[in-house]
Amino acid sequence: MALSLFWILLAAPISHGGEPNKQPTPPIDDPFLLWQLDAVRERAREIPQNIQERIRNGQEWNWNEYPDQVLLQEEAEIHWNRYLSAALNAPKWLDLGMTARLRREGFDYPFKTDQKGSTWQWATRSRFRASARWKAFRAQLEFQGSTNGVDSATDVVGTSTLTAGNVQQLFVALTLPDVWRTGLRTDLHVGRINLDIGSRRLVARSRFSNSSQAFDGIHWNLANEGQWQFRTFFSEVVSNTRAADRLGLFTNSGNLFWGLSYETYQLSWSRIHLYYFGRDEDAEGEQVARSHSTFGVRLYQPPRIGSFDYDGETAWQVGTMDGEDHFAYFQHFSLGYTFALPWAPRILAMYDYASGTDSANGNYNQTFDNLFGARRSELTPTSLFGPFYRSNISSPGIRLILNPLPVLRLDLKFRAWYLAQSRDAWVNSGLQDPSGAAGNVLGQDLEVGVRWNPSPNLSIDAGYDYFLKGSYLKNQTNVPGNPPAQNTNYFYIQTEVRF
């Protein structure tokens, strides 16, 4: 067929020097060539129909469940129309997916030490997923590439905005939906995984940052679906700063993390979550040695239109931190109500407290370890910004959530920020006043956000946060390297497409 097309093209008019060839084209009288030409024309007419059919196939291409669906809680992270699988006509046992995200973000006046001037960046993140299944067996690979382009000489790029490629997930799994006809479901994952557990305040796959925390290990799930769920895991924490850890499995990093989680939905008045996490990390570079246990309980009721909802969580840590005795705790409480009105407005009052160390010269540590929790949903945007952690913090706040359309969400938030202990460090800022004379008033922030999801394959987000600096920062501006007293404006806009 290729040879026939060559002769057809050869017989076409040829121009010389911009003037058309005026000699008539000899007629094609070869029946075989005429048949081939008709076949090419018919194929060209079929192309639009094939494209439309592939699009329809992509919209229908969805597995009921993906291998990491037990590990992660966010549907948008997993479920979308798989146009890539449909375009490649992948077999039904194989699922392929890609996502690409672009974000422009920046702020003017810094809040950390040794930062000067405004900082802006373009941040990109791409992910490729390949999942396979055969009977009760599953396998998944997820590769991630991240880049950033900072428009400032100020180095604020950390592990949340790094430029790197990494294996985000790579595991095999066994899933039995009805173990020995008991009605119980069990899943076993072995390899590199991401984790969302409970409220995601202490263990989560970060969604806003350019990188997410991965773990190499084993995870087991046992559940009576809709009634209760038990999970346990043992893992090695993957370091985002070492290429060998990002790309290889079980690299003996000396950073171990394990836990148990039990959640029940059987009570009408509350859902209950009990958990235990253990962490053991050797000192390396700027990391501190730590060996402690975290015990927690959470009681909550999800939001419903025309009803109150609440969320109360308490967690306690005991062990050692950098050779010192460690005892710390974290408390969260929120109370909300969703009105049966247009836009379904939900108003939410909230309070977070995470302990700090009350003496800078003691031989004990009381600063709560945030573990691997997500901060974006309740505290502030993270990535280039992110001034607050669940460590040495006390913060009341209020939030209003509106849904003008099913695919459009507006979010307004106000929070006040204080140090739990004025002598302890403001975690991740580089600021500390051991005398306590600077006080504990960090300031307030006002945040406005909008999220539009016109389809499962496209999302657009934008947000603005105004951080009004408090007396704690203004009292220390005379120290060389400390941030200025001017308030901080942070803005971002991003879009993500999924194939």
Side-chain angles (χ1 to χ4, degrees):
M1 182 175 179
L3 185 60
S4 303
L5 291 175
F6 170 76
W7 287 111
I8 292 171
L9 295 174
L10 190 63
I14 302 175
S15 61
H16 299 279
E19 292 292 330
N21 191 339
K22 304 202 178 184
Q23 298 180 359
T25 303
I28 300 175
D29 54 5
D30 186 333
F32 179 73
L33 291 180
L34 290 172
W35 175 77
Q36 293 284 4
L37 183 59
D38 289 341
V40 170
R41 289 169 177 166
E42 182 64 27
R43 216 55 183 297
R45 283 193 293 267
E46 292 176 356
I47 289 176
Q49 299 176 1
N50 289 338
I51 292 175
Q52 294 176 7
E53 183 178 357
R54 292 293 174 88
I55 291 175
R56 285 194 300 270
N57 290 342
Q59 293 171 344
E60 297 171 357
W61 192 295
N62 246 324
W63 287 0
N64 292 330
E65 184 175 321
Y66 293 89
D68 56 347
Q69 197 152 323
V70 170
L71 303 170
L72 307 178
Q73 297 176 8
E74 180 64 40
E75 288 290 310
E77 289 279 295
I78 301 171
H79 279 283
W80 64 83
N81 300 323
R82 294 298 206 268
Y83 293 119
L84 179 61
S85 291
L88 298 177
N89 200 22
K92 291 300 181 182
W93 57 265
L94 177 65
D95 175 77
L96 303 174
M98 287 190 66
T99 67
R101 189 180 75 181
L102 173 65
R103 179 166 67 225
R104 179 62 169 170
E105 63 179 333
F107 59 85
D108 48 9
Y109 295 103
F111 53 90
K112 291 184 178 182
T113 58
D114 299 321
Q115 292 183 2
K116 296 180 177 63
S118 62
T119 300
W120 289 83
Q121 76 167 2
W122 290 100
T124 66
R125 188 187 71 190
S126 301
R127 286 174 173 165
F128 169 77
R129 293 166 53 95
S131 305
R133 62 183 181 184
W134 178 73
K135 296 185 178 180
F137 297 97
R138 312 282 188 267
Q140 181 159 308
L141 163 69
E142 183 180 42
F143 183 82
Q144 175 177 288
S146 302
T147 65
N148 68 78
V150 179
D151 303 350
S152 164
T154 303
D155 182 15
V156 296
V157 178
T159 57
S160 64
T161 58
L162 54 78
T163 298
N166 72 317
V167 177
Q168 195 65 40
Q169 295 191 95
L170 178 58
F171 63 81
V172 293
L174 172 68
T175 296
L176 300 175
D178 187 6
V179 181
W180 296 319
R181 298 185 179 179
T182 61
L184 300 180
R185 176 217 172 104
T186 188
D187 303 85
L188 181 67
H189 302 81
V190 180
R192 175 161 297 181
I193 58 177
N194 287 183
L195 288 172
D196 282 336
I197 296 182
S199 65
R200 303 181 65 250
R201 295 185 183 106
L202 300 182
V203 183
R205 167 177 162 119
S206 178
R207 293 166 192 154
F208 192 78
S209 299
N210 244 20
S211 61
S212 300
Q213 184 60 62
F215 305 92
D216 291 340
I218 183 170
H219 170 271
W220 180 52
N221 171 68
L222 180 67
N224 186 346
E225 295 187 291
Q227 299 291 316
W228 55 266
Q229 180 183 32
F230 173 80
R231 302 169 65 185
T232 183
F233 65 93
F234 185 87
S235 70
E236 183 179 58
V237 179
V238 177
S239 171
N240 284 325
T241 59
R242 299 194 306 185
D245 283 14
R246 294 197 307 267
L247 300 175
L249 292 174
F250 304 106
T251 54
N252 193 25
S253 65
N255 189 354
L256 302 178
F257 184 57
W258 62 95
L260 304 168
S261 167
Y262 173 76
E263 194 163 2
T264 177
Y265 322 107
Q266 299 175 76
L267 300 178
S268 60
W269 58 273
S270 182
R271 298 186 179 188
I272 302 174
H273 181 213
L274 305 171
Y275 56 85
Y276 157 75
F277 302 127
R279 187 175 186 184
D280 188 86
E281 181 179 10
D282 298 334
E284 181 180 346
E286 297 181 357
Q287 299 295 327
V288 299
R290 68 191 82 199
S291 179
H292 57 66
S293 297
T294 303
F295 302 89
V297 59
R298 178 189 181 210
L299 280 71
Y300 69 102
Q301 193 71 273
R304 290 179 298 180
I305 293 179
S307 299
F308 283 98
D309 61 88
Y310 66 89
D311 190 343
E313 183 170 1
T314 178
W316 301 78
Q317 288 178 346
V318 60
T320 61
M321 183 80 74
D322 211 15
E324 298 178 343
D325 290 338
H326 176 69
F327 179 77
Y329 53 94
F330 160 71
Q331 319 287 343
H332 168 87
F333 181 75
S334 60
L335 178 64
Y337 186 84
T338 305
F339 295 88
L341 297 171
W343 295 18
R346 179 179 177 228
I347 190 165
L348 184 70
M350 49 196 174
Y351 178 70
D352 288 85
Y353 183 93
S355 63
T357 304
D358 60 12
S359 174
N361 301 315
N363 57 358
Y364 57 89
N365 184 285
Q366 298 169 294
T367 307
F368 187 79
D369 183 355
N370 190 63
L371 297 180
F372 307 100
R375 300 176 289 138
R376 170 69 184 98
S377 59
E378 291 179 339
L379 305 187
T380 60
T382 52
S383 187
L384 199 64
F385 191 51
F388 304 110
Y389 285 71
R390 293 184 181 89
S391 299
N392 189 31
I393 212 75
S394 176
S395 175
I398 189 168
R399 183 186 296 269
L400 175 64
I401 301 170
L402 303 170
N403 294 275
L405 299 170
V407 297
L408 182 64
R409 168 176 164 144
L410 303 177
D411 201 320
L412 295 90
K413 182 211 73 182
F414 172 81
R415 295 198 77 144
W417 299 95
Y418 306 89
L419 292 178
Q421 295 293 338
S422 58
R423 291 182 175 86
D424 197 4
W426 176 14
V427 174
N428 201 45
S429 72
L431 289 167
Q432 182 174 7
D433 178 15
S435 70
N440 69 338
V441 182
L442 298 179
Q444 302 88 37
D445 87 288
L446 178 65
E447 180 184 355
V448 180
V450 58
R451 181 177 180 85
W452 182 40
N453 296 301
S455 82
N457 292 71
L458 175 65
S459 63
I460 299 173
D461 293 76
Y464 168 74
D465 195 293
Y466 183 57
F467 177 34
L468 295 89
K469 295 179 180 177
S471 57
Y472 180 82
L473 288 93
K474 295 177 180 179
N475 289 338
Q476 301 184 75
T477 55
N478 59 336
V479 179
N482 278 8
Q486 288 92 336
N487 299 330
T488 301
N489 295 274
Y490 168 78
F491 171 79
Y492 76 91
I493 184 170
Q494 73 175 29
T495 183
E496 184 169 12
V497 293
R498 308 173 184 92
F499 305 96

